[in-house]
Each structure stands twice: as structure tokens, then as C-alpha cells.
Amino acid sequence: MTDTPRRRPPLPTTAGTLKLKPRTAAPATHSADADPAPAKRGGGNDWRKRSKASYPDQANAEAPRRTRADDARPPRAGDDRPQRPYGDKPRGFGERPPRRDDDRPARPYGERSVDDRGPHRDAERPATERPPRHERKPWTGEPRTAPQPSPLRDDGSIRLSKRMTELGLCSRREADEYIEKGWVRVDGRVVSELGSRVHPGQLVELDRRGQTAQERRVTILLNKPVGYVSGQAEDGYQPASVLIAAENRWAEDPSETRYLNSHHRGLAPAGRLDIDSIGLLVFTQDGRVARALIGDDSSIEKEYHVRVEGTLSDEGLKLLNHGLSLDGEALRPAKVSWLNEDQLRFVLREGKKRQIRRMCELVGLKVVGLKRVRIGRVMLGHLPPGQWRYLGADEVF
């Protein structure tokens, strides 16, 4: 048993059975003396707007056919609209009003005829032609005024954060942080407004609090094993940063820095190693170190020991040193020599994606092992695979 009420069966009519609920039929005559129709939800006499399906007796009746005599019928009383002839259309139905050339204002940039709309119109335009769209105002069409150069950029000044990066005080992100905290002085005056500009000759100093914050930032050296990616996790492989834990710290680490969980905050890899490569990988919180290692103007050497298969000619060895191009760009000169009978020693000053492997492919060699042993003046040394240590205070890349 359900609580659904039973539907009312349809009522039979003379013309058939309808599935619509019958309504009260409209009165045959509607005079002023008759009672007005009851007000409906829409208000007024809604029976005029109903379709014939609203009345069961008229559901299947055909509408009377309109004839010419109906159109010639005189207008009803109270209708003062003029009668239109048969077949006449109201004005504006598919027609355009006549043009009034005398009322139309003159165009500011000259009149064009229909013949000027072809591909040759550019050669026939008058001298007062419109300027390009990006050089005129959107509504009036008047030419825009030429932009005036900013006086702040013409006086030789640069942003304070960029100047601090050029001086090697910190990175751009760290500079903005120190400026907001009021830790930066320009010619002895504290500057705490972002976007401030200075001249190259002005003295920029970092407050002692900023220097202390810089000293607290750590740099970690990791011997990355095979199977870990340098950056974010991808394709089911873990990032190498998961190895930086207290239990993986090298027992012979000469640094006396105490391990803290805060050392993971802002720690990022400065460089990369392929998932199949091993060796020295640098993680740092210091923007100065990151800029020195992976900046566009970085010139720090990186040394690799590469195990290869195949035959290398003298001409191929010369190409590895200088003469190869990757991605349409010529590579910087490198130092490539034989380390032993199956290993090459690479010293590079740049680090394109899979650069060494792609260089070896261009000369007919296949790389079967790659290890980075040095970055600048910092050596991998005896650091075991999968372990890490802090960069010493006396070590500089």
C-alpha cells in the first residue's frame, strides 16, 4: 500500500476523450451588462487568451478559414486604427526605412563608396585615413596621444630588490621580505616600501637582523642514488628530498649545525640530476646560493664521470668539447677527456635537460652510468649514497 492518491479518470466528451482537465467554457456573449468573468491568477479576462484545447467541445474543431471578405470587413467599434489593404505588411517588417542623407553627419575621415570595399581599398584611401585601431580611442575614433616615458626609468634608477640581488645580498624574494620588515637601508635611511627605486651609486645595506636571518639559512649536500627525482614527485618516483632526515645524516659530517625541522622550510634543489644519475645534489634555503648555481649568468663548473659504450673518434671528442647544438642553440665550450678506457670526464658550465646523454648520442655513444662528483669547489668526497651533510661555513661554491 502506498499513500499516492488515485488519479481521476479522464472525462468523456463529444469529440473524444481528452487527457486535460475540463475548464468552464467562456460565455457566448460578452456584453457590458453581463457579469464579468471571474478573476484568474493572471488577472483580467484570461479566457480570451486560452487555446481551443482548453475547451473540450472545441478541441477537435477546425479554425475558420480566413477569406478576402474578412479582411474587407469594417473595423469594430472603438477601433480607430486605419484599415490596411489585403496583403499589406506593417512598416519595418523586413524593410528598411528610407535613408535621409541630409540629416546624417559627415564622417570625420572621409566618405567611402561601395567600390572601395575591395582588397585594393588600402591604396585608394585618402590622406585623412583612420589610424590603426590600437592607436585611436574606442568611441570617438580620435588618435591616441603618444605614451610618455616614465621619468623614473629614464634617470637610471632600478628597483631596490633587483639592486640587492646584483650586490649578492639576497634573492629577489628575500629582498622583498626584508624591505617589508624594514631591514634594508639606503644611504643610511630605512626603506620599507616595496617597489622603491635606487641609483647604482647609492649605498645599500642589510640590517643586522637581515644578516642573522641569512646566516640561519642552511645548504645541504646529498649523494642522490638511482630511482629518485630531483624536484617534485612524478611517475610514482619519490623526490630526493625525502632522504633528508635525521637518520640519513652522515655520521662524519664535519659541520656542527644542529638538525632542526625548520630546515625543511623553503628548502629547494639548486640544480637537477636525472632519475638514472647519481652524485652530488644541492638543496638550499639561501637565495644567493641558488642564484649562483642555477642563475642565467652562472659560471660555476660542474664535473661528471660518465661511463659510455661505443667508439669515439678524435673528431667526435672535439665536437664534445665545442661545436654541438641542442634545441637549436649552440652549447658553451666544455672540457671532455678520457678518464679511463670506458669513462669520460665532463666539466660543464651549463645544465640543459639530459645534456650529457644527448651530447653523447650525437657522437655515437650510449651513456650507461653518470655521476656528478663536483660543483664549483665543493666535492662529493666520501659521502655515501643516500646520505647528506651540511655545507660547512668555510666551503664556498
Side-chain angles (χ1 to χ4, degrees):
M1 297 293 292
T2 60
D3 296 336
T4 304
R6 180 178 300 177
R7 289 186 176 181
R8 181 181 299 176
L11 299 177
T13 62
T14 57
T17 301
L18 293 179
K19 295 183 179 180
L20 300 175
K21 183 179 180 181
R23 299 182 182 179
T24 304
T29 59
H30 185 72
S31 61
D33 298 337
D35 294 336
K40 298 297 179 181
R41 182 168 48 189
N45 297 333
D46 290 347
W47 59 273
R48 295 178 180 271
K49 303 179 182 180
R50 295 176 183 172
S51 62
K52 62 183 181 180
S54 300
Y55 308 102
D57 296 338
Q58 304 176 9
N60 298 326
E62 296 183 359
R65 186 174 182 179
R66 188 177 182 87
T67 62
R68 184 182 298 270
D70 296 333
D71 295 326
R73 185 182 305 167
R76 292 178 298 179
D79 191 357
D80 55 351
R81 294 178 297 179
Q83 184 180 2
R84 295 196 302 268
Y86 181 78
D88 189 20
K89 298 179 181 179
R91 182 179 177 180
F93 186 80
E95 299 178 358
R96 297 180 59 184
R99 298 179 60 180
R100 296 178 295 178
D101 296 337
D102 52 343
D103 297 338
R104 184 176 56 186
R107 296 186 179 181
Y109 295 98
E111 187 75 13
R112 285 194 310 174
S113 63
V114 180
D115 298 336
D116 295 335
R117 299 175 185 175
H120 62 281
R121 64 182 184 272
D122 294 337
E124 298 180 3
R125 287 180 178 176
T128 58
E129 183 55 64
R130 285 189 176 189
R133 186 172 184 178
H134 66 279
E135 296 182 4
R136 64 176 188 263
K137 297 181 180 180
W139 298 107
T140 62
E142 300 177 359
R144 295 179 182 269
T145 56
Q148 300 295 332
S150 174
L152 296 178
R153 299 184 182 274
D154 291 345
D155 59 358
S157 62
I158 59 177
R159 292 178 66 93
L160 177 57
S161 57
K162 183 178 180 180
R163 181 57 179 166
M164 295 175 64
T165 304
E166 293 178 352
L167 296 175
L169 298 177
C170 56
S171 64
R172 292 284 291 270
R173 180 179 58 83
E174 295 168 350
D176 292 338
E177 178 184 349
Y178 297 157
I179 292 173
E180 285 185 324
K181 293 181 178 180
W183 294 353
V184 181
R185 295 178 179 270
V186 178
D187 292 339
R189 182 176 58 88
V190 176
V191 177
S192 59
E193 182 179 357
L194 291 177
S196 301
R197 306 181 71 87
V198 296
H199 292 277
Q202 292 183 285
L203 178 62
V204 180
E205 297 176 318
L206 190 60
D207 195 358
R208 181 58 187 171
R209 293 168 293 182
Q211 297 178 7
T212 303
Q214 288 288 93
E215 294 173 356
R216 292 177 180 175
R217 301 182 185 274
V218 299
T219 299
I220 293 176
L221 310 178
L222 171 70
N223 188 351
K224 188 189 85 68
V226 176
Y228 291 87
V229 294
S230 302
Q232 300 294 331
E234 57 183 31
D235 298 333
Y237 294 99
Q238 290 183 319
S241 57
V242 300
L243 298 174
I244 303 177
E247 58 273 14
N248 293 331
R249 184 177 181 179
W250 189 28
E252 301 180 12
D253 186 0
S255 175
E256 298 180 358
T257 304
R258 180 184 176 185
Y259 173 76
L260 301 174
N261 291 331
S262 60
H263 293 168
H264 290 269
R265 188 181 303 116
L267 193 67
R272 58 174 177 261
L273 275 176
D274 298 334
I275 190 173
D276 298 327
S277 304
I278 63 175
L280 183 59
L281 184 61
V282 179
F283 291 84
T284 183
Q285 294 178 323
D286 196 338
R288 298 171 299 177
V289 176
R291 184 175 182 271
L293 295 182
I294 59 178
D296 295 336
D297 55 348
S298 175
S299 59
I300 294 181
E301 293 183 346
K302 303 174 182 65
E303 182 177 345
Y304 304 83
H305 292 174
V306 184
R307 191 178 301 276
V308 295
E309 291 180 352
T311 304
L312 179 63
S313 62
D314 295 339
E315 185 64 25
L317 185 60
K318 293 181 180 179
L319 288 176
L320 289 176
N321 281 270
H322 190 209
L324 295 178
S325 299
L326 293 178
D327 301 328
E329 297 182 2
L331 298 176
R332 296 182 185 179
K335 299 177 182 178
V336 184
S337 59
W338 283 105
L339 190 62
N340 51 45
E341 58 183 8
D342 61 347
Q343 277 190 327
L344 287 171
R345 174 178 175 267
F346 279 76
V347 178
L348 306 179
R349 293 181 179 269
E350 58 184 340
K352 294 183 179 294
K353 186 176 181 180
R354 303 180 66 86
Q355 178 175 343
I356 295 180
R357 298 179 186 273
R358 295 165 67 187
M359 290 174 63
C360 291
E361 290 177 359
L362 292 177
V363 295
L365 296 177
K366 180 181 178 182
V367 176
V368 295
L370 189 149
K371 181 179 181 180
R372 183 157 61 193
V373 298
R374 177 174 66 89
I375 299 179
R377 286 172 284 184
V378 177
M379 302 292 297
L380 177 63
H382 302 287
L383 182 62
Q387 297 189 16
W388 60 273
R389 68 177 181 88
Y390 287 105
L391 181 69
D394 56 341
E395 292 181 303
V396 180
F397 290 101

